[in-house]
Amino acid sequence: PRRLEAEVVRDALFYVAGTLDLTPGGPELDCFKATNTPRRSVYFRHAYEKQMKFLELFDGASVNECYRRSESVVPLQALALANSDTSVEQSRLLAKHLNELAAKDTAPDQAFVKLAFQQILNREPTEAELRECQAFLTAESLLLQTPDKLEPFTGGPKPTVPPSTDPQQRARENLTHVLYNHNDFVTIR
């Protein structure tokens, strides 16, 4: 097993949510607009002074070493996936799509969990994972039903995709975000 290359990790966030722009060709893109642009990472400028921070964190090709790649596992990588506005926004978009599919099922929470695992991790959940995720959805929904008891997070950039006002959907958004941070999402086996 090994971790995906930096560009593939970034592109996968968009691809899994169905928003990656697969249009071939075109001019190079400004690396400072990378979080909002769903274009493939290969189209961003890649020079010493113009490097996308997200790609640097995931060991993008080093322009100082003939584009050689190192491979590391550091806490900042997990923090980048957990706190990235791109990760949050794409998980919300994916949750909305999966919710529409799961609503047709007789057991929508179970269907949602299975769809999320298939879409994000490309595998079925184990029985233990299924139970744990369903318990998470239930607990999170109950918690989000009383927002006045929660402390809002005010730091960081404002995401362009706002969270759902429906507690059950918001719980599903949080679950997809958690799965984006799963080791299997960034690992090739």
Side-chain angles (χ1 to χ4, degrees), residues 3-46:
R3 202 196 61 235
L4 297 171
E5 291 86 5
E7 295 83 2
V8 179
V9 171
R10 183 195 167 276
D11 291 357
L13 288 170
F14 290 99
Y15 183 79
V16 166
T19 59
L20 184 65
D21 181 357
L22 297 171
T23 307
E28 67 180 4
L29 302 168
D30 185 357
C31 64
F32 300 110
K33 296 180 182 176
T35 58
N36 304 341
T37 308
R39 291 281 286 155
R40 292 187 51 221
S41 297
V42 72
Y43 295 112
F44 287 97
R45 287 185 203 128
H46 198 73

Side-chain angles (χ1 to χ4, degrees), residues 118-135:
Q118 290 166 355
Q119 186 71 20
I120 299 170
L121 305 179
N122 201 28
R123 66 175 177 85
E124 293 289 326
T126 64
E127 285 299 318
E129 289 170 330
L130 186 60
R131 281 192 308 275
E132 187 69 29
C133 288
Q134 287 179 293

Side-chain angles (χ1 to χ4, degrees), residues 4-5 18 21 27 50 53 77 90 92 98 100 127 154 167 171 174 188:
L4 297 171
E5 291 86 5
D21 181 357
K50 298 174 184 170
K53 190 65 178 167
Q77 293 165 342
Q90 297 307 308
R92 288 175 180 167
L98 295 179
E100 292 167 1
E127 285 299 318
T154 56
N174 292 344
I188 295 174

Side-chain angles (χ1 to χ4, degrees), residues 81-135:
L81 280 175
N83 298 323
S84 161
D85 53 338
T86 302
S87 178
V88 171
E89 290 171 4
Q90 297 307 308
S91 65
R92 288 175 180 167
L93 292 171
L94 176 60
K96 182 179 178 186
H97 172 68
L98 295 179
N99 188 50
E100 292 167 1
L101 297 174
K104 300 171 186 172
D105 200 282
T106 55
D109 277 351
Q110 182 176 343
F112 181 87
V113 171
K114 287 182 177 183
L115 287 168
F117 266 77
Q118 290 166 355
Q119 186 71 20
I120 299 170
L121 305 179
N122 201 28
R123 66 175 177 85
E124 293 289 326
T126 64
E127 285 299 318
E129 289 170 330
L130 186 60
R131 281 192 308 275
E132 187 69 29
C133 288
Q134 287 179 293

